[in-house]
Amino acid sequence: MPFAHDTAVELRAAVALVNSAEPPETLATVADLDAFFREHGYTGRHDRTAEELAQVRALRPRLRELLLADRDTAARLVNELLAGVPVRPRLVRHSGEDWHVHATADDAPLSTRIVVETAMAMVDVVREDEHSRLAVCADPDCQGLVLDLSRNRSRRYCSTACTNRNAQAALRARRAG
Ligand SMILES: [Zn+2]
Ligand SMILES: [Zn+2]
């Protein structure tokens, strides 16, 4: 794994959030947001309101831009994002997770915490110059993001659906050839 555990967790959550905007939209309801919150191990404030849902959904284009940015652009975007929110980094240990960083107050709005956590994760990506870990899905019809944390950098597709569809297409092409 090229990153610290909490950085990897935050990048996975950010990529999943951005990809939820790809058709078919998978972050449409408060229940969808609830599932996202639980799946990615968030703690702290969670309002379960339409407003919170709208705020989180509105982050997706900005996070997509940040995750796909080249190194210098990413550094500028991280600084802009962190300048706009109250950041208070501290080490915490909870819910069976070893020491990791929380950079905002636990009662800050969920959308604020997602922005800050993604920006903090991108601090590591910029410092380690690991932007090649983030890319657009290799499926020609898919704009989903791929986060490749594998040792041999073998991941090309955003989802099992895209992996399977392209494997089947390659098989058909081989048989036809
Ligand atoms: Zn935590
Ligand atoms: Zn895809």
Side-chain angles (χ1 to χ4, degrees):
M1 187 105 85
F3 303 112
H5 175 73
D6 51 343
T7 298
V9 167
E10 284 154 9
L11 289 175
R12 266 196 212 103
V15 165
L17 179 56
V18 168
N19 286 352
S20 73
E22 293 305 308
E25 163 77 56
T26 50
L27 191 62
T29 64
V30 169
D32 290 341
L33 181 59
D34 220 25
F36 171 82
F37 188 93
R38 274 182 279 113
E39 183 177 344
H40 293 280
Y42 285 98
T43 54
R45 179 171 163 189
H46 179 25
D47 298 349
R48 295 184 174 82
T49 58
E51 191 191 357
E52 181 184 61
L53 174 66
Q55 287 168 347
V56 172
R57 284 168 54 110
L59 293 178
R60 298 182 298 188
R62 287 164 74 202
L63 295 187
R64 182 182 179 89
E65 185 189 10
L66 173 62
L67 292 166
L68 288 177
D70 63 51
R71 195 166 185 233
D72 290 1
T73 308
R76 177 175 57 78
L77 293 173
V78 163
N79 288 344
E80 285 173 12
L81 289 172
L82 292 180
V85 285
V87 179
R88 200 186 70 196
R90 66 200 184 285
L91 283 163
V92 294
R93 190 156 61 182
H94 66 85
S95 328
E97 294 270 346
D98 198 6
W99 289 113
H100 59 281
V101 176
H102 279 194
T104 40
D106 291 341
D107 60 353
L110 179 59
S111 57
T112 303
R113 287 183 288 129
I114 293 174
V115 164
V116 171
E117 287 183 4
T118 308
M120 295 298 288
M122 287 304 289
V123 166
D124 286 358
V125 176
V126 170
R127 282 193 304 201
E128 295 173 34
D129 198 3
E130 287 279 3
H131 296 270
S132 63
R133 300 280 178 180
L134 290 153
V136 176
C137 181
D139 183 302
D141 299 321
C142 179
Q143 292 299 306
L145 300 191
V146 184
L147 173 65
D148 188 358
L149 298 176
S150 66
R151 190 188 294 269
N152 58 357
R153 295 174 185 258
S154 54
R155 190 144 184 222
R156 297 176 59 218
Y157 299 103
C158 71
S159 63
T160 350
C162 280
T163 306
N164 292 344
R165 191 168 53 247
N166 283 275
Q168 282 160 17
L171 197 64
R172 272 197 304 275
R174 265 204 302 280
R175 280 186 189 147

